[in-house]
């Protein structure tokens, strides 16, 4: 099993706000991929598929938006530490400070990089799509912008965003006062994923350890609403009933994937 670990966490730098304008009811969501060196054409197509996945799940921004939204994710494959070490890293790089208007901070650009020694194996094993979708979620703010948006206190293990909590209550525990967050696994796993033993028993794509068939739950989609995005009607779409491709024992994390056995 692979264990993830943060390395060289990238700070979210606040860009200057765009000039205030008329509020739009819905401002569309769009990802622009800047695919760099080391990626084959077939691997670039997997990145494009992951982009379309998120663009069909997140459909806009919610509330009083006072910037012209754009989101660019740069991705490449480069030499790192050889086969089976750190598989890749990802995270937000710059952001929009829209807190005076809807209380939210958004990613404006992020980076994803994979070890060139590992990416071919990820593709041939059918793992690459899931890894990209997972890491792209962290670029969008899952786990990486929780504290900045007042949704989580580091070390608490308690995510308190209202929409994800309501979905968790509906699906798992109606008396819950928080969604449980992973506190094990060290840097790169703790404080940035749903707890492994939660409502889907570890099958959810955004837990720290992923084995076998994975799903994206409505709790995860609701979390993006907590981050200030407009999302598909997760109560009707039932995205969690559509399994993502098989993975086979990856531990995914916010910024880096490392080849190391899970500790108990």
């Amino acid at each position: 099993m692979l264990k993830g670990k943060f390395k060289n966490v990238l700070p979210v730098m606040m860009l200057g706000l765009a000039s205030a304008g008329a509020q739009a009811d819905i401002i569309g969501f769009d990802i622009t991929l800047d695919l760099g060196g080391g990626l084959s054409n077939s691997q670039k197509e997997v990145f494009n598929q992951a982009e379309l996945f998120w663009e069909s799940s997140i459909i806009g921004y919610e509330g009083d938006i006072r910037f012209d939204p754009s989101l660019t994710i740069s991705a490449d494959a480069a030499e790192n530490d050889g086969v089976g070490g750190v598989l890749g890293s990802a995270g937000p790089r710059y952001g929009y400070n829209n807190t005076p208007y809807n209380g939210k901070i958004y990613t404006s650009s992020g980076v994803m990089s994979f070890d060139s020694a590992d990416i071919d194996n990820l593709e041939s094993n059918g793992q690459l799509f899931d890894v990209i979708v997972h890491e792209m979620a962290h670029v969008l703010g899952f786990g990486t912008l929780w504290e900045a948006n007042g949704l989580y206190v580091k070390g608490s293990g308690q995510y308190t965003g209202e929409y994800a909590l309501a979905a968790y209550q509906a699906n798992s525990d109606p008396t819950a006062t928080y969604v449980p967050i992973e506190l094990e696994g060290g840097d790169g796993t703790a404080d940035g994923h749903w707890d492994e033993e939660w409502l889907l028993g570890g099958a959810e794509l955004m837990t720290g350890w992923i084995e076998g068939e994975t799903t994206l739950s409505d709790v995860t989609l609701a979390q993006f609403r907590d981050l200030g995005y407009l999302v598909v009607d997760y109560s009707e779409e039932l995205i969690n009933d559509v399994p993502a491709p098989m993975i086979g024992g990856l531990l995914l994390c916010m910024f880096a994937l490392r080849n190391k056995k899970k500790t108990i």
Side-chain angles (χ1 to χ4, degrees), residues 10-16 92-97 105-106 108:
L10 299 170
V12 178
M13 306 298 293
M14 296 307 119
L15 299 182
R93 188 174 185 182
Y94 296 102
Y96 298 110
N97 184 356
I105 292 172
Y106 297 92
S108 63

Side-chain angles (χ1 to χ4, degrees), residues 14-168:
M14 296 307 119
L15 299 182
L17 293 173
S19 58
Q23 177 183 351
D25 292 332
I26 296 179
I27 297 179
F29 177 80
D30 179 66
I31 299 171
T32 299
L33 289 178
D34 179 12
L35 300 179
L39 299 173
S40 68
N41 288 336
S42 60
Q43 290 161 0
K44 289 179 180 179
E45 180 56 31
V46 180
F47 275 91
N48 290 332
Q49 292 170 5
E51 173 194 353
L52 291 174
F53 177 87
W54 282 120
E55 288 175 343
S56 66
S57 300
I58 299 174
I59 56 177
Y61 298 78
E62 193 166 34
D64 189 357
I65 302 301
R66 300 297 183 95
F67 59 91
D68 184 15
S70 63
L71 173 58
T72 300
I73 301 176
S74 301
D76 65 11
E79 291 185 12
N80 190 354
D81 61 353
V83 175
V86 174
L87 301 178
S89 59
R93 188 174 185 182
Y94 296 102
Y96 298 110
N97 184 356
N98 201 60
T99 52
Y101 307 107
N102 73 344
K104 304 299 181 183
I105 292 172
Y106 297 92
T107 302
S108 63
S109 70
V111 294
M112 302 178 69
S113 182
F114 288 81
D115 192 338
S116 57
D118 292 302
I119 193 168
D120 289 342
N121 287 335
L122 290 174
E123 181 183 20
S124 63
N125 292 337
Q127 301 169 338
L128 186 57
F129 176 80
D130 289 71
V131 172
I132 294 172
V133 167
H134 179 106
E135 296 296 350
M136 200 171 283
H138 288 310
V139 173
L140 300 179
F142 187 101
T144 55
L145 293 181
W146 286 349
E147 290 184 79
N149 283 297
L151 304 171
Y152 181 68
V153 175
K154 185 176 181 179
S156 69
Q158 301 181 7
Y159 176 95
T160 56
E162 63 172 313
Y163 294 110
L165 177 57
Y168 182 74

Side-chain angles (χ1 to χ4, degrees), residues 137-253:
H138 288 310
V139 173
L140 300 179
F142 187 101
T144 55
L145 293 181
W146 286 349
E147 290 184 79
N149 283 297
L151 304 171
Y152 181 68
V153 175
K154 185 176 181 179
S156 69
Q158 301 181 7
Y159 176 95
T160 56
E162 63 172 313
Y163 294 110
L165 177 57
Y168 182 74
Q169 291 169 336
N171 283 279
S172 181
D173 181 1
T175 66
T177 57
Y178 60 86
V179 184
I181 299 301
E182 184 65 63
L183 291 178
E184 297 183 3
D187 289 344
T189 302
D191 292 310
H193 299 88
W194 302 135
D195 185 72
E196 185 72 9
E197 302 302 325
W198 77 318
L199 79 109
L200 293 178
E204 153 68 35
L205 182 65
M206 297 311 297
T207 61
W209 291 266
I210 299 182
E211 297 179 78
E213 199 168 78
T214 62
T215 64
L216 184 73
S217 72
D218 53 6
V219 181
T220 294
L221 288 176
Q223 175 271 164
F224 282 103
R225 190 173 181 193
D226 288 329
L227 286 171
Y229 295 103
L230 288 169
V231 299
V232 296
D233 187 350
Y234 43 85
S235 64
E236 299 294 335
E237 294 290 335
L238 297 177
I239 298 297
N240 54 308
D241 285 345
V242 183
M246 296 290 289
I247 287 196
L250 288 182
L251 166 64
L252 303 177
C253 67

